[in-house]
Amino acid sequence: MTTAPERLLLRLEWKVVRRLDGRLQGAHRTAHRGAGIDFTGLRAYAEGDDARHIDWNVTARLDQPHLRVFTEDRELTVWLVLDRSASMAVGRPGRGKHDVLAELALVLARLFGRGGNRVGALLFDTGVLRVVPPGTSRRHALRIAAELDRTASAQGGGATTDLAGMLDAAGRLARRRALVVVLSDFIGDGDWERSLQRLARRHEVVALRIVDAADDVLPEAGLVVVEDAETGEQLVVDTADPLLRLRLREEVDARDARLAAGMRRAGVPVHRIGTDRDLAEALVEVVARTRDRSP
């Protein structure tokens, strides 16, 4: 008898992975400073670069520090950083943010693993950390699926998401240069931007922001009790109050602007994936936008 993780993986392999096979090959071959074996050129040194990769002969000749730039090998280690906090449970049954996160994580694990890359996962829920070490096989993807199933069953109210803690944990685990894919709604407190910048200096980082309409829109339903998904705090609000709706819209816009600015300063591309999106189409779009950014 097949388990729930096996049924989920089978469904995704048939509906998503099969459609993407061949369309995303080579998508992860990106330029890195001083990594890999294919030398592609030189560029001027910038603050935060690894000084070990300075070409001292060129530096002396041009009287300005320059780095050797390589193209990374096709085989790499991928870390999936998975936000399992309570706010990720928002959304309609069977298609909430945590459901979409689980599907994205499994699709990425299978796609990267089939290309010979090692994929690990870090599941983070406000201080509770579960780690699946990197591996390549289909059985390994099922192991990630089983951990996702466990964390979904254990979710409950708690403190707001510690985004800085989640990113710092990823930095401690990924000791060698890797591709780090962060899957989260990025709803949380704390100074996460500094942690993201530290992570992005050592690794290639991509952010997949999983969103649901319920995050941004308050339906007009009269007096209702609303509860913070992460703290459990409850309030009675009048959803028809135009001032309340305006303030909510302003808060959402300000939150989105802070997130975009922080990602931009860290040099990390962020891709918005709604719970109503087709996953195959969303991932093809992510790859297309990533290629457009490549130098």
Side-chain angles (χ1 to χ4, degrees):
M1 184 175 180
T2 58
T3 64
E6 287 174 322
R7 289 193 297 272
L8 175 59
L9 184 55
L10 281 169
R11 177 170 64 82
L12 292 172
E13 286 175 329
W14 178 252
K15 289 190 172 183
V16 182
V17 176
R18 186 172 58 90
R19 290 167 57 194
L20 292 174
D21 242 353
R23 299 184 66 181
L24 306 185
Q25 294 301 316
H28 57 274
R29 186 177 177 86
T30 56
H32 273 304
R33 300 188 291 273
I37 58 175
D38 300 329
F39 176 69
T40 57
L42 298 161
R43 69 164 181 81
Y45 176 86
E47 183 179 356
D49 288 336
D50 190 339
R52 292 175 298 177
H53 305 307
I54 292 177
D55 187 315
W56 294 108
N57 291 329
V58 174
T59 296
R61 189 165 64 250
L62 299 180
D63 198 27
Q64 181 183 2
H66 276 70
L67 294 181
R68 294 174 64 83
V69 181
F70 295 80
T71 300
E72 193 176 40
D73 298 331
R74 287 186 60 82
E75 294 183 5
L76 77 164
T77 298
V78 181
W79 281 100
L80 304 177
V81 181
L82 309 175
D83 179 0
R84 303 302 283 168
S85 62
S87 68
M88 291 297 294
V90 170
R92 69 181 188 273
R95 200 60 183 171
K97 290 187 289 186
H98 66 89
D99 298 303
V100 173
L101 178 144
E103 293 183 3
L104 279 169
L106 287 187
V107 169
L108 292 172
R110 286 297 283 143
L111 288 171
F112 280 113
R114 286 166 66 150
N117 306 295
R118 301 170 69 246
V119 182
L122 180 161
L123 297 88
F124 189 89
D125 180 7
T126 316
V128 178
L129 179 68
R130 290 192 175 98
V131 177
V132 179
T136 59
S137 66
R138 186 178 189 277
R139 181 177 296 181
H140 182 72
L142 281 171
R143 183 179 174 187
I144 294 175
E147 285 296 333
L148 285 163
D149 196 46
R150 284 180 58 195
T151 54
S153 301
Q155 279 182 344
T160 56
T161 307
D162 182 2
L163 294 175
M166 182 172 69
L167 297 169
D168 287 339
R172 290 192 298 270
L173 279 172
R175 296 180 181 179
R176 299 182 60 184
R177 185 180 290 279
L179 170 62
V180 179
V181 184
V182 184
L183 291 82
S184 172
D185 57 7
F186 292 95
I187 296 177
D189 295 330
D191 183 12
W192 55 267
E193 187 177 334
R194 192 171 304 172
S195 298
L196 181 64
Q197 289 173 350
R198 283 196 298 267
L199 189 65
R201 276 198 293 266
R202 293 187 57 204
H203 308 284
E204 181 178 0
V205 183
V206 175
L208 302 184
R209 184 187 176 200
I210 302 170
V211 298
D212 186 88
D215 291 329
D216 303 339
V217 178
L218 189 65
E220 291 195 42
L223 291 175
V224 298
V225 177
V226 296
E227 178 177 314
D228 188 299
E230 300 211 332
T231 65
E233 181 182 1
Q234 293 184 336
L235 292 172
V236 177
V237 299
D238 181 1
T239 58
D241 183 348
L243 181 58
L244 174 65
R245 299 179 68 83
L246 175 62
R247 289 178 58 188
L248 175 63
R249 184 71 260 166
E250 290 174 345
E251 286 293 326
V252 168
D253 290 344
R255 182 193 68 201
D256 290 352
R258 288 193 300 269
L259 176 64
M263 292 288 178
R264 188 167 54 250
R265 284 190 288 267
V268 172
V270 57
H271 306 277
R272 183 183 174 101
I273 299 180
T275 55
D276 57 347
R277 283 293 304 275
D278 176 271
L279 290 191
E281 292 178 0
L283 287 173
V284 168
E285 182 180 297
V286 167
V287 171
R289 287 179 56 195
T290 301
R291 284 174 173 161
D292 290 344
R293 295 179 74 254
S294 299

